[in-house]
Amino acid sequence: MKLRFLMISITLFLGTTTSFASSWDSFKKQDYDASFRSAYLAEKAENNATGLDYFVLGRIYLEGLGSSDEDQPKALYYFKKAISSGSVEAAMFLVWLMPLSFTK
């Protein structure tokens, strides 16, 4: 019984650690569904999402990538969380995005 519990714990720990580290890697590989799952899991299940995880969620919601629908209010929410968590990528992305929004 103890051995089974130990094996399950190790498997869960290694599986979630790998998924946390890979949300940005999956995003760069354009595997948006896997990226979303990793970032969302980091935020909701374990409460240890990084600024990069929030940035990934913001990009996915903003552009409707993968199976996600476009949702600008959610995207802005995640961009704000990313920037407050120290994500330079999110800040630079929004700086790049702002002039485009005024030209439409």
Side-chain angles (χ1 to χ4, degrees):
M1 181 72 173
K2 289 181 182 181
L3 180 60
R4 183 176 178 194
F5 176 75
L6 180 62
M7 294 301 289
I8 290 171
S9 299
I10 290 172
T11 303
L12 288 175
F13 175 75
L14 292 176
T16 56
T17 303
T18 303
S19 67
F20 292 150
S22 66
S23 70
W24 180 242
D25 293 333
S26 297
F27 187 85
K28 290 189 296 185
K29 293 176 186 172
Q30 298 181 346
D31 187 357
Y32 302 119
D33 291 332
S35 181
F36 181 86
R37 285 190 303 270
S38 296
Y40 192 79
L41 178 66
E43 179 195 20
K44 299 296 182 187
E46 295 296 326
N47 248 358
N48 69 346
T50 65
L52 208 47
D53 290 322
Y54 293 128
F55 173 62
V56 164
L57 290 170
R59 286 282 307 269
I60 289 172
Y61 279 122
L62 180 69
E63 300 174 42
L65 301 171
S67 299
S68 177
D69 293 328
E70 284 185 26
D71 190 339
Q72 291 181 352
K74 271 189 184 177
L76 185 57
Y77 168 78
Y78 282 115
F79 284 136
K80 286 179 181 179
K81 285 188 84 162
I83 291 171
S84 68
S85 297
S87 173
V88 175
E89 294 85 2
M92 295 300 294
F93 181 77
L94 289 180
V95 166
W96 173 80
L97 185 66
M98 289 309 290
L100 298 177
S101 65
F102 290 116
T103 60
K104 291 183 180 180

XYZ file of all heavy atoms in Angstrom:
828
model
N 0.820 -1.187 0.000
C 0.000 0.000 0.000
C 0.867 1.256 0.000
O 0.611 2.170 -0.754
C -0.940 -0.041 1.214
C -1.855 1.123 1.291
S -3.095 0.983 0.001
C -4.137 2.306 0.410
N 1.891 1.273 0.876
C 2.765 2.437 0.935
C 3.559 2.596 -0.352
O 3.766 3.715 -0.824
C 3.718 2.332 2.119
C 3.047 2.514 3.451
C 4.046 2.425 4.587
C 3.339 2.557 5.914
N 4.264 2.493 7.039
N 3.986 1.498 -0.930
C 4.743 1.541 -2.178
C 3.869 2.086 -3.303
O 4.318 2.917 -4.095
C 5.274 0.154 -2.540
C 6.094 0.076 -3.826
C 7.321 0.977 -3.731
C 6.510 -1.360 -4.090
N 2.629 1.665 -3.342
C 1.703 2.148 -4.376
C 1.490 3.654 -4.228
O 1.505 4.396 -5.211
C 0.384 1.399 -4.264
C -0.593 1.785 -5.326
C -1.843 0.961 -5.247
N -2.773 1.392 -6.262
C -4.027 1.069 -6.296
N -4.523 0.252 -5.386
N -4.813 1.508 -7.239
N 1.277 4.102 -3.001
C 1.104 5.532 -2.745
C 2.338 6.312 -3.176
O 2.241 7.370 -3.794
C 0.809 5.782 -1.260
C 0.712 7.228 -0.905
C -0.401 7.964 -1.260
C 1.747 7.858 -0.239
C -0.496 9.305 -0.944
C 1.670 9.202 0.076
C 0.541 9.926 -0.275
N 3.514 5.795 -2.862
C 4.766 6.445 -3.233
C 4.911 6.532 -4.749
O 5.283 7.579 -5.285
C 5.950 5.700 -2.624
C 7.339 6.260 -2.930
C 7.474 7.674 -2.375
C 8.412 5.363 -2.362
N 4.600 5.468 -5.447
C 4.710 5.462 -6.914
C 3.733 6.448 -7.553
O 4.085 7.166 -8.476
C 4.462 4.049 -7.460
C 5.529 3.044 -7.062
S 7.176 3.504 -7.608
C 7.001 3.238 -9.347
N 2.515 6.495 -7.040
C 1.532 7.441 -7.570
C 1.982 8.870 -7.304
O 1.893 9.736 -8.172
C 0.138 7.163 -6.963
C -0.412 5.844 -7.505
C -0.828 8.305 -7.263
C -1.672 5.372 -6.831
N 2.493 9.135 -6.107
C 2.958 10.480 -5.770
C 4.101 10.921 -6.672
O 4.117 12.050 -7.155
C 3.415 10.527 -4.312
O 2.352 10.220 -3.462
N 5.054 10.050 -6.898
C 6.190 10.378 -7.760
C 5.723 10.629 -9.189
O 6.148 11.593 -9.833
C 7.255 9.264 -7.705
C 7.934 9.266 -6.341
C 8.279 9.428 -8.822
C 8.853 8.094 -6.097
N 4.827 9.799 -9.670
C 4.312 9.968 -11.032
C 3.591 11.300 -11.173
O 3.799 12.026 -12.151
C 3.359 8.807 -11.390
O 4.059 7.578 -11.242
C 2.840 8.951 -12.805
N 2.746 11.640 -10.212
C 2.031 12.913 -10.275
C 2.984 14.089 -10.185
O 2.856 15.071 -10.910
C 0.988 12.996 -9.157
C -0.225 12.109 -9.318
C -1.114 12.193 -8.085
C -1.009 12.499 -10.558
N 3.964 13.990 -9.291
C 4.920 15.082 -9.145
C 5.713 15.302 -10.427
O 5.845 16.413 -10.910
C 5.869 14.809 -7.982
C 6.950 15.842 -7.856
C 6.655 17.099 -7.354
C 8.250 15.568 -8.263
C 7.645 18.061 -7.251
C 9.235 16.516 -8.163
C 8.936 17.773 -7.662
N 6.244 14.239 -10.993
C 7.033 14.376 -12.220
C 6.176 14.825 -13.391
O 6.608 15.638 -14.202
C 7.741 13.065 -12.547
C 8.841 12.644 -11.582
C 9.389 11.276 -11.968
C 9.946 13.675 -11.539
N 4.969 14.341 -13.476
C 4.081 14.735 -14.564
C 3.702 16.196 -14.502
O 3.721 16.901 -15.505
N 3.383 16.712 -13.307
C 3.001 18.113 -13.202
C 4.211 19.022 -13.328
O 4.106 20.094 -13.902
C 2.277 18.401 -11.873
O 3.107 18.008 -10.795
C 0.952 17.689 -11.811
N 5.356 18.618 -12.856
C 6.546 19.445 -13.006
C 6.902 19.591 -14.474
O 7.223 20.679 -14.941
C 7.736 18.831 -12.233
O 7.354 18.678 -10.880
C 8.960 19.695 -12.338
N 6.814 18.520 -15.208
C 7.092 18.576 -16.635
C 6.094 19.469 -17.339
O 6.451 20.265 -18.201
C 7.033 17.154 -17.243
O 7.962 16.351 -16.550
C 7.357 17.172 -18.709
N 4.822 19.391 -16.970
C 3.819 20.200 -17.644
C 4.004 21.678 -17.327
O 3.772 22.529 -18.172
C 2.413 19.741 -17.274
O 2.146 20.002 -15.926
N 4.443 22.027 -16.102
C 4.663 23.420 -15.779
C 5.797 23.995 -16.615
O 5.725 25.112 -17.078
C 5.017 23.602 -14.298
C 3.892 23.296 -13.367
C 4.144 22.814 -12.110
C 2.575 23.479 -13.742
C 3.118 22.535 -11.232
C 1.540 23.206 -12.881
C 1.812 22.727 -11.614
N 6.826 23.213 -16.801
C 7.991 23.705 -17.524
C 7.738 23.808 -19.013
O 8.458 24.479 -19.705
C 9.177 22.779 -17.261
N 6.697 23.156 -19.507
C 6.552 23.062 -20.942
C 5.471 23.942 -21.550
O 5.253 23.864 -22.743
C 6.301 21.609 -21.329
O 5.052 21.193 -20.821
N 4.774 24.770 -20.788
C 3.714 25.568 -21.405
C 4.283 26.510 -22.461
O 3.732 26.636 -23.554
C 2.913 26.337 -20.357
O 3.679 27.366 -19.780
N 5.405 27.134 -22.178
C 6.018 28.037 -23.152
C 6.636 27.253 -24.311
O 6.529 27.659 -25.471
C 7.065 28.923 -22.475
C 7.732 29.883 -23.416
C 9.051 29.925 -23.719
C 7.124 30.941 -24.157
N 9.307 30.933 -24.612
C 8.140 31.584 -24.899
C 5.822 31.411 -24.276
C 7.894 32.660 -25.739
C 5.578 32.492 -25.117
C 6.603 33.101 -25.837
N 7.256 26.123 -24.001
C 7.833 25.290 -25.058
C 6.750 24.797 -26.014
O 6.929 24.824 -27.231
C 8.582 24.095 -24.472
C 9.827 24.511 -23.708
O 10.394 25.578 -24.031
O 10.211 23.780 -22.782
N 5.633 24.358 -25.472
C 4.521 23.906 -26.317
C 3.969 25.057 -27.144
O 3.617 24.882 -28.306
C 3.397 23.323 -25.458
O 3.831 22.188 -24.774
N 3.912 26.239 -26.556
C 3.409 27.404 -27.283
C 4.313 27.729 -28.468
O 3.835 28.007 -29.570
C 3.312 28.615 -26.343
C 2.644 29.803 -26.972
C 1.260 29.910 -26.951
C 3.382 30.800 -27.574
C 0.631 30.995 -27.535
C 2.768 31.884 -28.160
C 1.388 31.983 -28.135
N 5.619 27.694 -28.235
C 6.564 27.981 -29.325
C 6.478 26.938 -30.432
O 6.730 27.248 -31.593
C 7.996 28.061 -28.797
C 8.244 29.291 -27.933
C 9.706 29.476 -27.606
C 10.233 28.345 -26.779
N 11.620 28.540 -26.342
N 6.100 25.714 -30.083
C 5.948 24.648 -31.081
C 4.562 24.682 -31.734
O 4.240 23.817 -32.535
C 6.156 23.279 -30.431
C 7.579 23.047 -29.968
C 7.678 21.721 -29.247
C 9.062 21.549 -28.661
N 9.153 20.365 -27.802
N 3.774 25.664 -31.377
C 2.414 25.861 -31.867
C 1.481 24.717 -31.483
O 0.504 24.447 -32.176
C 2.404 26.105 -33.377
C 3.148 27.348 -33.758
C 3.132 27.620 -35.253
O 2.790 26.759 -36.049
N 3.502 28.826 -35.623
N 1.771 24.068 -30.372
C 0.864 23.075 -29.809
C 0.050 23.799 -28.737
O 0.312 23.686 -27.541
C 1.655 21.899 -29.226
C 0.757 20.763 -28.788
O -0.485 20.901 -28.871
O 1.297 19.724 -28.359
N -0.920 24.567 -29.196
C -1.626 25.492 -28.322
C -2.505 24.803 -27.293
O -2.651 25.296 -26.177
C -2.447 26.480 -29.155
C -1.588 27.263 -30.115
C -1.783 27.182 -31.479
C -0.554 28.061 -29.641
C -0.989 27.894 -32.361
C 0.251 28.773 -30.509
C 0.029 28.690 -31.869
O 0.831 29.391 -32.722
N -3.081 23.665 -27.630
C -3.917 22.960 -26.657
C -3.086 22.418 -25.501
O -3.468 22.545 -24.338
C -4.702 21.840 -27.337
C -5.777 22.380 -28.276
O -6.277 23.494 -28.030
O -6.108 21.686 -29.255
N -1.931 21.839 -25.804
C -1.042 21.341 -24.743
C -0.512 22.503 -23.905
O -0.404 22.406 -22.683
C 0.112 20.552 -25.338
N -0.207 23.591 -24.559
C 0.280 24.777 -23.864
C -0.785 25.319 -22.911
O -0.504 25.660 -21.764
C 0.675 25.834 -24.885
O 1.161 26.970 -24.253
N -2.023 25.378 -23.398
C -3.124 25.847 -22.564
C -3.318 24.938 -21.355
O -3.456 25.414 -20.227
C -4.423 25.912 -23.373
C -5.599 26.408 -22.587
C -5.843 27.757 -22.481
C -6.437 25.525 -21.927
C -6.925 28.235 -21.746
C -7.512 25.981 -21.187
C -7.754 27.331 -21.100
N -3.323 23.627 -21.586
C -3.500 22.681 -20.472
C -2.411 22.859 -19.420
O -2.692 22.870 -18.220
C -3.504 21.241 -20.987
C -4.781 20.833 -21.675
C -4.825 19.339 -21.948
N -3.693 18.883 -22.749
C -3.682 18.833 -24.077
N -4.730 19.224 -24.754
N -2.622 18.387 -24.718
N -1.173 23.011 -19.856
C -0.065 23.157 -18.902
C -0.177 24.438 -18.097
O -0.024 24.437 -16.874
C 1.269 23.153 -19.658
O 1.468 21.930 -20.291
N -0.457 25.545 -18.783
C -0.545 26.828 -18.095
C -1.766 26.879 -17.181
O -1.696 27.378 -16.054
C -0.588 27.957 -19.117
N -2.878 26.365 -17.656
C -4.110 26.370 -16.859
C -3.962 25.490 -15.623
O -4.397 25.854 -14.531
C -5.283 25.906 -17.725
C -6.631 26.152 -17.102
C -7.192 27.421 -17.140
C -7.339 25.129 -16.490
C -8.437 27.661 -16.577
C -8.576 25.355 -15.926
C -9.121 26.618 -15.977
O -10.350 26.856 -15.415
N -3.338 24.334 -15.804
C -3.085 23.448 -14.672
C -2.184 24.122 -13.648
O -2.417 24.035 -12.442
C -2.456 22.140 -15.147
C -2.090 21.124 -14.076
C -3.346 20.603 -13.386
C -1.317 19.977 -14.681
N -1.169 24.820 -14.115
C -0.261 25.515 -13.201
C -1.009 26.568 -12.395
O -0.732 26.766 -11.213
C 0.875 26.169 -13.992
N -1.972 27.228 -13.034
C -2.723 28.261 -12.320
C -3.765 27.669 -11.379
O -3.815 28.023 -10.202
C -3.428 29.195 -13.304
C -4.216 30.256 -12.582
C -5.213 30.981 -13.442
O -5.603 30.460 -14.496
O -5.605 32.069 -13.025
N -4.583 26.790 -11.868
C -5.746 26.326 -11.099
C -5.440 25.190 -10.130
O -5.886 25.215 -8.997
C -6.861 25.885 -12.048
C -7.373 26.974 -12.951
C -8.031 28.076 -12.185
C -8.573 29.132 -13.140
N -9.082 30.294 -12.471
N -4.706 24.196 -10.581
C -4.521 23.004 -9.757
C -3.454 23.182 -8.691
O -3.638 22.779 -7.553
C -4.188 21.805 -10.632
N -2.341 23.764 -9.067
C -1.214 23.825 -8.137
C -0.949 25.217 -7.583
O -0.132 25.394 -6.712
C 0.051 23.303 -8.825
C -0.028 21.838 -9.193
C -0.135 20.931 -7.978
O 0.457 21.247 -6.935
O -0.830 19.913 -8.083
N -1.595 26.221 -8.130
C -1.433 27.601 -7.665
C 0.016 28.094 -7.737
O 0.463 28.819 -6.859
C -1.951 27.745 -6.240
C -3.184 28.595 -6.165
O -3.637 29.119 -7.177
N -3.727 28.727 -4.985
N 0.753 27.687 -8.744
C 2.123 28.182 -8.870
C 2.447 28.572 -10.318
O 3.519 28.308 -10.809
C 3.128 27.172 -8.315
C 3.228 25.922 -9.146
O 2.398 25.661 -9.996
N 4.262 25.143 -8.899
N 1.506 29.220 -10.974
C 1.736 29.666 -12.345
C 2.756 30.797 -12.356
O 2.814 31.619 -11.444
C 0.430 30.137 -12.971
N 3.557 30.820 -13.394
C 4.542 31.876 -13.570
C 3.958 32.967 -14.468
O 2.895 32.792 -15.069
C 5.814 31.319 -14.230
O 5.482 30.876 -15.552
C 6.397 30.170 -13.426
N 4.674 34.057 -14.567
C 4.258 35.121 -15.479
C 4.166 34.624 -16.906
O 3.296 35.050 -17.673
N 5.047 33.708 -17.273
C 5.031 33.150 -18.621
C 3.786 32.293 -18.849
O 3.209 32.319 -19.941
C 6.301 32.328 -18.845
C 6.816 32.210 -20.266
C 6.855 33.542 -20.979
C 8.183 31.568 -20.270
N 3.341 31.572 -17.826
C 2.098 30.802 -17.947
C 0.912 31.738 -18.188
O 0.062 31.469 -19.039
C 1.842 29.965 -16.691
C 2.809 28.809 -16.537
O 3.162 28.190 -17.562
O 3.229 28.537 -15.399
N 0.846 32.834 -17.452
C -0.236 33.800 -17.642
C -0.162 34.439 -19.027
O -1.183 34.678 -19.670
C -0.192 34.884 -16.563
C -0.502 34.381 -15.177
C 0.349 34.651 -14.117
C -1.650 33.638 -14.918
C 0.068 34.198 -12.832
C -1.937 33.182 -13.644
C -1.079 33.469 -12.608
O -1.363 33.019 -11.341
N 1.052 34.716 -19.479
C 1.231 35.285 -20.813
C 0.721 34.322 -21.879
O 0.031 34.725 -22.821
C 2.712 35.621 -21.048
C 3.018 36.056 -22.445
C 2.449 37.201 -22.976
C 3.877 35.323 -23.239
C 2.735 37.610 -24.270
C 4.177 35.717 -24.523
C 3.600 36.864 -25.046
N 1.042 33.045 -21.727
C 0.574 32.023 -22.676
C -0.955 31.998 -22.697
O -1.568 31.994 -23.772
C 1.155 30.643 -22.304
C 0.408 29.523 -23.002
C 2.635 30.584 -22.637
N -1.586 32.010 -21.541
C -3.049 32.014 -21.488
C -3.617 33.266 -22.149
O -4.612 33.196 -22.883
C -3.526 31.905 -20.039
C -3.290 30.555 -19.364
C -3.583 30.646 -17.868
C -4.130 29.477 -20.010
N -2.985 34.399 -21.904
C -3.435 35.647 -22.529
C -3.352 35.601 -24.041
O -4.282 36.001 -24.753
N -2.248 35.103 -24.563
C -2.092 34.998 -26.029
C -3.117 34.046 -26.631
O -3.700 34.325 -27.679
C -0.692 34.500 -26.391
C 0.430 35.485 -26.232
C 0.522 36.492 -27.366
N 0.575 35.935 -28.696
C 1.685 35.618 -29.365
N 2.853 35.788 -28.793
N 1.616 35.146 -30.591
N -3.335 32.926 -25.970
C -4.286 31.942 -26.493
C -5.698 32.523 -26.518
O -6.415 32.391 -27.513
C -4.211 30.633 -25.689
C -2.884 29.917 -26.008
C -5.397 29.736 -25.992
C -2.594 28.716 -25.146
N -6.091 33.201 -25.450
C -7.426 33.809 -25.427
C -7.532 34.988 -26.396
O -8.570 35.183 -27.031
C -7.792 34.274 -24.017
C -8.304 33.171 -23.126
C -7.682 32.874 -21.926
C -9.422 32.429 -23.482
C -8.154 31.870 -21.106
C -9.908 31.415 -22.671
C -9.271 31.143 -21.488
O -9.746 30.138 -20.677
N -6.492 35.776 -26.524
C -6.548 36.932 -27.415
C -6.721 36.525 -28.868
O -7.525 37.102 -29.601
C -5.278 37.783 -27.272
C -5.223 39.027 -28.159
C -6.255 40.044 -27.678
C -3.841 39.628 -28.146
N -5.994 35.520 -29.277
C -5.984 35.127 -30.684
C -6.889 33.938 -30.987
O -7.027 33.547 -32.146
C -4.552 34.823 -31.109
C -3.644 36.028 -30.937
C -2.188 35.720 -31.209
O -1.909 35.002 -32.190
O -1.341 36.185 -30.431
N -7.496 33.344 -29.962
C -8.350 32.177 -30.185
C -7.563 30.995 -30.732
O -8.018 30.305 -31.634
N -6.394 30.768 -30.176
C -5.513 29.702 -30.669
C -5.953 28.344 -30.146
O -6.539 28.239 -29.072
C -4.074 29.989 -30.245
C -3.498 31.304 -30.741
C -2.151 31.567 -30.082
C -3.369 31.302 -32.248
N -5.646 27.307 -30.907
C -6.010 25.955 -30.502
C -7.516 25.797 -30.488
O -8.213 26.286 -31.380
N -8.031 25.161 -29.473
C -9.477 24.940 -29.356
C -10.185 26.095 -28.660
O -11.397 26.071 -28.505
C -9.731 23.659 -28.557
O -9.160 22.556 -29.213
N -9.436 27.094 -28.254
C -9.994 28.217 -27.503
C -10.694 29.211 -28.431
O -10.272 29.426 -29.566
C -8.873 28.928 -26.746
O -9.372 30.047 -26.077
N -11.743 29.820 -27.915
C -12.393 30.918 -28.626
C -11.713 32.223 -28.239
O -11.115 32.323 -27.167
C -13.875 31.007 -28.241
C -14.667 29.814 -28.730
O -14.322 29.263 -29.791
O -15.622 29.435 -28.035
N -11.817 33.227 -29.104
C -11.290 34.544 -28.751
C -12.094 35.103 -27.584
O -13.318 35.036 -27.580
C -11.397 35.497 -29.935
C -10.371 35.260 -31.002
C -10.429 36.298 -32.107
O -10.882 37.442 -31.850
O -10.024 35.964 -33.226
N -11.398 35.643 -26.614
C -12.037 36.233 -25.445
C -11.123 37.355 -24.949
O -10.222 37.132 -24.140
C -12.261 35.177 -24.362
C -13.128 35.667 -23.216
O -13.240 36.904 -23.033
O -13.698 34.821 -22.513
N -11.345 38.565 -25.449
C -10.460 39.675 -25.128
C -10.469 40.061 -23.655
O -9.404 40.371 -23.112
C -10.773 40.868 -26.024
C -10.388 40.601 -27.464
C -10.656 41.770 -28.379
O -11.271 42.752 -27.977
N -10.191 41.669 -29.614
N -11.608 40.069 -22.969
C -11.557 40.384 -21.531
C -10.704 39.383 -20.736
O -9.935 39.780 -19.862
C -13.026 40.339 -21.095
C -13.791 40.650 -22.334
C -13.005 40.020 -23.448
N -10.822 38.085 -21.051
C -9.983 37.088 -20.369
C -8.526 37.290 -20.730
O -7.643 37.147 -19.881
C -10.405 35.667 -20.751
C -11.451 35.073 -19.881
C -11.641 33.606 -20.214
C -12.759 33.021 -19.409
N -13.024 31.626 -19.748
N -8.266 37.612 -21.985
C -6.881 37.832 -22.420
C -6.266 38.987 -21.633
O -5.146 38.874 -21.133
C -6.834 38.119 -23.918
N -6.994 40.081 -21.513
C -6.489 41.235 -20.777
C -6.262 40.885 -19.308
O -5.251 41.282 -18.722
C -7.453 42.406 -20.903
C -7.002 43.710 -20.284
C -5.669 44.167 -20.872
C -8.059 44.778 -20.485
N -7.173 40.111 -18.730
C -7.018 39.663 -17.343
C -5.706 38.902 -17.166
O -4.951 39.157 -16.220
C -8.211 38.782 -16.959
C -8.040 38.028 -15.669
C -8.198 38.666 -14.439
C -7.703 36.676 -15.669
C -8.047 37.959 -13.253
C -7.550 35.974 -14.483
C -7.715 36.622 -13.281
O -7.558 35.938 -12.103
N -5.422 37.973 -18.083
C -4.195 37.180 -17.970
C -2.950 38.000 -18.292
O -1.893 37.784 -17.697
C -4.284 35.923 -18.828
C -5.124 34.861 -18.181
C -6.319 34.440 -18.744
C -4.733 34.274 -16.984
C -7.099 33.472 -18.131
C -5.506 33.308 -16.363
C -6.684 32.912 -16.942
O -7.442 31.948 -16.326
N -3.046 38.948 -19.209
C -1.893 39.815 -19.467
C -1.556 40.653 -18.235
O -0.386 40.836 -17.898
C -2.139 40.731 -20.667
C -2.033 40.041 -21.997
C -2.962 40.278 -22.988
C -1.003 39.150 -22.267
C -2.872 39.650 -24.218
C -0.901 38.519 -23.490
C -1.840 38.769 -24.469
N -2.583 41.157 -17.557
C -2.341 41.927 -16.330
C -1.677 41.056 -15.260
O -0.747 41.501 -14.586
C -3.653 42.501 -15.788
C -4.191 43.660 -16.580
C -5.497 44.151 -15.977
C -6.079 45.291 -16.749
N -7.369 45.747 -16.182
N -2.170 39.811 -15.115
C -1.564 38.904 -14.137
C -0.120 38.586 -14.528
O 0.754 38.485 -13.670
C -2.374 37.611 -14.034
C -3.665 37.776 -13.263
C -4.335 36.461 -13.003
C -3.725 35.862 -11.768
N -4.504 34.810 -11.143
N 0.127 38.430 -15.830
C 1.484 38.126 -16.301
C 2.435 39.268 -15.974
O 3.535 39.045 -15.461
C 1.465 37.855 -17.802
N 2.004 40.485 -16.261
C 2.867 41.641 -16.008
C 3.095 41.821 -14.514
O 4.222 42.077 -14.082
C 2.270 42.898 -16.655
C 2.355 42.776 -18.181
C 2.993 44.155 -16.184
C 1.601 43.842 -18.940
N 2.051 41.641 -13.712
C 2.240 41.784 -12.260
C 3.102 40.661 -11.685
O 3.673 40.808 -10.615
C 0.888 41.848 -11.540
O 0.223 40.620 -11.617
N 3.218 39.551 -12.429
C 4.094 38.454 -12.014
C 5.501 38.601 -12.577
O 6.333 37.714 -12.399
C 3.510 37.111 -12.463
O 2.286 36.878 -11.836
N 5.751 39.677 -13.305
C 7.094 39.946 -13.793
C 7.389 39.482 -15.207
O 8.558 39.380 -15.589
N 6.372 39.232 -16.013
C 6.610 38.772 -17.379
C 6.946 39.937 -18.308
O 6.090 40.749 -18.651
C 5.381 38.040 -17.927
O 5.551 37.748 -19.294
N 8.200 40.003 -18.699
C 8.638 41.021 -19.651
C 8.018 40.747 -21.018
O 7.672 41.673 -21.752
C 10.184 41.040 -19.735
C 10.661 41.998 -20.803
C 10.778 41.377 -18.384
N 7.837 39.467 -21.344
C 7.245 39.092 -22.632
C 5.847 39.677 -22.779
O 5.487 40.180 -23.849
C 7.181 37.561 -22.777
C 8.514 36.870 -22.851
C 9.122 36.573 -21.479
O 8.486 36.878 -20.453
O 10.230 36.031 -21.439
N 5.056 39.620 -21.720
C 3.691 40.158 -21.772
C 3.711 41.671 -21.948
O 2.947 42.224 -22.745
C 2.922 39.783 -20.510
N 4.588 42.348 -21.222
C 4.679 43.802 -21.350
C 5.114 44.201 -22.756
O 4.526 45.105 -23.367
C 5.647 44.356 -20.308
N 6.107 43.532 -23.290
C 6.584 43.847 -24.636
C 5.525 43.527 -25.688
O 5.356 44.267 -26.654
C 7.884 43.089 -24.948
C 9.044 43.508 -24.080
S 9.458 45.260 -24.239
C 10.031 45.310 -25.915
N 4.810 42.449 -25.500
C 3.753 42.084 -26.445
C 2.671 43.154 -26.463
O 2.209 43.558 -27.530
C 3.161 40.725 -26.081
C 2.086 40.280 -27.025
C 2.416 39.771 -28.273
C 0.747 40.385 -26.678
C 1.426 39.363 -29.157
C -0.247 39.979 -27.554
C 0.097 39.474 -28.796
N 2.267 43.647 -25.293
C 1.234 44.674 -25.246
C 1.732 45.991 -25.821
O 0.977 46.701 -26.481
C 0.725 44.863 -23.820
C -0.129 43.717 -23.283
C -0.570 44.007 -21.858
C -1.333 43.480 -24.169
N 3.000 46.327 -25.618
C 3.570 47.530 -26.219
C 3.545 47.413 -27.734
O 3.205 48.357 -28.441
C 5.017 47.777 -25.709
C 5.736 48.801 -26.548
C 4.982 48.191 -24.251
N 3.854 46.222 -28.233
C 3.825 45.980 -29.672
C 2.392 46.001 -30.192
O 2.117 46.474 -31.283
C 4.478 44.633 -29.972
C 4.358 44.208 -31.395
C 5.124 44.627 -32.435
C 3.403 43.300 -31.947
N 4.711 44.026 -33.594
C 3.653 43.206 -33.321
C 2.361 42.559 -31.401
C 2.893 42.394 -34.159
C 1.607 41.755 -32.233
C 1.882 41.683 -33.594
N 1.444 45.521 -29.416
C 0.057 45.386 -29.843
C -0.695 46.715 -29.837
O -1.564 46.934 -30.673
C -0.656 44.391 -28.919
C -2.079 44.006 -29.243
C -2.115 43.238 -30.559
C -2.674 43.168 -28.137
N -0.369 47.618 -28.933
C -1.127 48.845 -28.781
C -1.192 49.690 -30.054
O -2.268 50.129 -30.435
C -0.585 49.681 -27.600
C -0.905 49.072 -26.249
S -2.632 48.657 -25.999
C -3.335 50.282 -25.879
N -0.092 49.957 -30.759
C -0.211 50.762 -31.985
C -1.111 50.102 -33.035
O -1.802 50.782 -33.767
C 1.226 50.857 -32.502
C 2.073 50.610 -31.308
C 1.280 49.677 -30.438
N -1.129 48.790 -33.080
C -1.988 48.093 -34.035
C -3.454 48.292 -33.734
O -4.278 48.368 -34.640
C -1.655 46.593 -34.049
C -0.240 46.203 -34.492
C -0.060 44.698 -34.384
C 0.017 46.670 -35.909
N -3.803 48.396 -32.462
C -5.208 48.565 -32.105
C -5.735 49.954 -32.454
O -6.925 50.136 -32.647
C -5.426 48.276 -30.624
O -4.755 49.221 -29.838
N -4.842 50.949 -32.585
C -5.286 52.287 -32.921
C -5.387 52.503 -34.433
O -5.984 53.471 -34.871
C -4.318 53.322 -32.341
C -4.396 53.403 -30.848
C -3.314 53.052 -30.067
C -5.564 53.820 -30.200
C -3.379 53.132 -28.687
C -5.636 53.886 -28.834
C -4.529 53.537 -28.073
N -4.828 51.610 -35.220
C -4.872 51.778 -36.667
C -6.097 51.150 -37.299
O -6.329 51.308 -38.484
C -3.618 51.169 -37.319
O -3.558 49.772 -37.008
C -2.359 51.878 -36.845
N -6.890 50.441 -36.537
C -8.085 49.771 -37.095
C -9.282 50.681 -37.099
O -9.482 51.546 -36.381
C -8.389 48.492 -36.310
C -7.343 47.450 -36.535
C -7.707 46.198 -35.812
C -6.635 45.139 -36.034
N -6.903 43.916 -35.375
